[in-house]
Amino acid sequence: MLRALFISLSKAAWAQGWITRWGLAWRVASRFIAGDTIAQALAAVRQLNQQGLLATLDPLGENTQTREDAAQATLVILNLLDEIERQDLRANVSIKLSQLGGVIDPQLGYDNLCRVLQRAGERRNFICVDMEDSSLTEVTLDVVGRCRQQGMNNVGTVIQSYLYRSEDDTRRLIEQGVAVRLVKGAYQEPAHLAYPKKRDVDAAFDRLTDMLLRGAQAAADWQVSEDGRFPPLPAIATHDEQRILYALNQTRDLYLHAHQVEFQLLYGIRRDLQASLAKQGYPVRIYVPFGSHWYPYFMRRLAERPANAWFFIRYLLQR
Ligand code: FDA
């Protein structure tokens, strides 16, 4: 209920205008967002690196409505890649196809993604294309697959365990040698497309973890030697300790090395877990969003956890 409400608010322009006007909204949001400038985000990444954590920077933005805005979003990402290299940070970049104009025209999204991947290649960096709602699943997989076929091996994408189609999609990405980040899924999807019950989403997450780790085991020999820096490392992205425990056990049972799987968590969430996984020797990458378009991201974080949502509502009502 609360989840559906916050996800629909994340798309409502009237609510965005209303909520972002309050300074207190930003105060709550800033727990999850590293700042509104590149400089603030890079400073946050430096701190994470000093703690032995990797980062993936998300220059916030989605659903770009004009070609000019898509070109501008692309420029921001190119600049970010330059800065990461200049400051010698251990970070890659996460973007959304709709940010690059993929909703206006999939070809535009593809062209802009190619520009980003080319610059990332020059900087020896990697781009993960986040997964958005189900209206964009096929086009995102398609565009990423085309890039991979064109020989761009520094691109990965995301699989959402709540979608029924995800086993087939995971198989397809493993075959293509595309790096996959596995998440549960952050959008509101109808029951004919996605498991409505959390326990089914969790069970699917474990099955997909298993597929990805077996894929990494099979790929490890040739991919590491052929590509050097970009083996299709599966990333298990969750704060759910049971899911992480399952992945850790499978990693050991399949005799994978700690560096053949990555754990990913969101900035500002479960810092204790981030530190503990890193201490066990696993690569841990923190998803670091930044920028002025923080509203939809923030609403999705509230939607994920009733405690966050109630905290925010209480705060608003007290004003
Ligand atoms: P679950 O929701 O079961 O939470 C497990 C525990 O984690 C909770 O009990 C709580 O302790 C903690 N927790 C979870 N969310 C919290 C929050 N907001 N605030 C405080 N505590 C919280 N989704 C998507 O659709 N497309 C994408 O591209 C991505 N990308 C992505 C990258 C990374 C690195 C992560 C970690 C997640 C994503 N997601 C995503 C979001 C993902 O789909 C999912 O919505 C969140 O990770 C929350 O689900 P959990 O797996 O943590 O499990």
Side-chain angles (χ1 to χ4, degrees):
M1 228 325 240
L2 214 51
R3 176 181 154 87
L5 171 70
F6 275 88
I7 290 176
S8 69
L9 284 179
S10 75
K11 295 180 195 146
W14 64 267
Q16 172 159 3
W18 197 53
I19 289 176
T20 51
R21 265 199 297 278
W22 277 321
L24 83 92
W26 168 247
R27 278 217 300 282
V28 182
S30 61
R31 172 185 160 193
F32 303 112
I33 293 150
D36 50 12
T37 64
I38 286 194
Q40 288 167 324
L42 295 176
V45 169
R46 186 170 303 287
Q47 267 191 3
L48 292 169
N49 286 175
Q50 282 161 356
Q51 294 159 28
L53 300 167
L54 308 165
T56 183
L57 276 156
D58 168 18
L60 288 165
E62 52 198 85
N63 265 321
T64 303
Q65 296 297 323
T66 66
R67 287 177 177 266
E68 293 69 32
D69 286 351
Q72 183 54 36
T74 306
L75 273 181
V76 169
I77 296 161
L78 298 180
N79 181 28
L80 181 61
L81 286 162
D82 294 346
E83 278 303 306
I84 291 171
E85 186 183 58
R86 202 177 63 77
Q87 300 197 21
D88 198 19
L89 294 169
R90 300 178 72 204
N92 60 35
V93 178
S94 289
I95 58 160
K96 293 184 171 55
L97 193 65
S98 73
Q99 182 175 19
L100 300 183
V103 173
I104 306 168
D105 174 2
Q107 184 61 35
L108 176 67
Y110 172 77
D111 291 342
N112 283 333
L113 180 60
C114 287
R115 286 178 68 200
V116 166
L117 287 173
Q118 192 186 342
R119 179 71 60 90
E122 289 159 14
R123 304 282 177 245
R124 294 179 64 73
N125 211 328
F126 175 88
I127 301 294
C128 181
V129 183
D130 286 352
M131 193 53 81
E132 303 177 68
D133 69 31
S134 57
S135 66
L136 289 168
T137 309
E138 191 55 39
V139 65
T140 303
L141 293 174
D142 224 60
V143 163
V144 168
R146 276 172 71 192
C147 291
R148 188 66 184 92
Q149 269 169 9
Q150 295 300 313
M152 295 177 238
N153 62 18
N154 58 340
V155 65
T157 190
V158 177
I159 287 285
Q160 296 155 323
S161 74
Y162 62 17
L163 292 183
Y164 303 133
R165 58 177 289 165
S166 285
E167 283 193 29
D168 289 341
D169 292 340
T170 303
R171 208 164 290 119
R172 169 174 160 191
L173 291 170
I174 290 174
E175 274 166 23
Q176 292 172 334
V178 172
V180 173
R181 171 201 298 155
L182 177 61
V183 304
K184 291 190 186 179
Y187 299 83
Q188 189 66 22
E189 298 293 355
H192 69 275
L193 294 179
Y195 297 107
K197 295 206 174 100
K198 178 173 158 49
R199 65 163 182 273
D200 295 325
V201 178
D202 289 349
F205 195 99
D206 290 347
R207 285 197 301 277
L208 293 164
T209 295
D210 201 43
M211 278 177 78
L212 288 171
L213 294 181
R214 285 177 195 281
Q217 190 188 39
D221 298 341
W222 61 269
Q223 199 72 29
V224 171
S225 54
E226 187 181 287
D227 288 335
R229 277 174 69 91
F230 303 118
L233 267 196
I236 307 301
T238 179
H239 317 92
D240 181 338
E241 292 191 51
Q242 290 307 313
R243 309 287 72 75
I244 291 174
L245 191 61
Y246 180 85
L248 289 172
N249 287 338
Q250 286 302 94
T251 302
R252 283 186 211 113
D253 289 355
L254 293 170
Y255 299 104
L256 289 170
H257 295 293
H259 66 262
Q260 285 178 281
V261 58
E262 191 167 281
F263 289 91
Q264 296 189 358
L265 298 94
L266 298 177
Y267 182 78
I269 299 181
R270 292 299 310 266
R271 291 198 172 98
D272 56 333
L273 194 52
Q274 301 174 5
S276 135
L277 284 164
K279 209 165 149 203
Q280 293 173 58
Y282 292 94
V284 178
R285 192 175 295 276
I286 308 306
Y287 187 99
V288 181
F290 72 95
S292 51
H293 299 291
W294 49 268
Y295 172 78
Y297 179 87
F298 174 48
M299 286 293 119
R300 290 197 290 275
R301 300 295 77 81
L302 293 183
E304 270 155 18
R305 200 159 178 248
N308 290 352
W310 283 121
F311 172 75
F312 185 66
I313 290 169
R314 263 204 313 275
Y315 215 101
L316 284 182
L317 294 178
Q318 280 164 12
R319 309 303 296 174

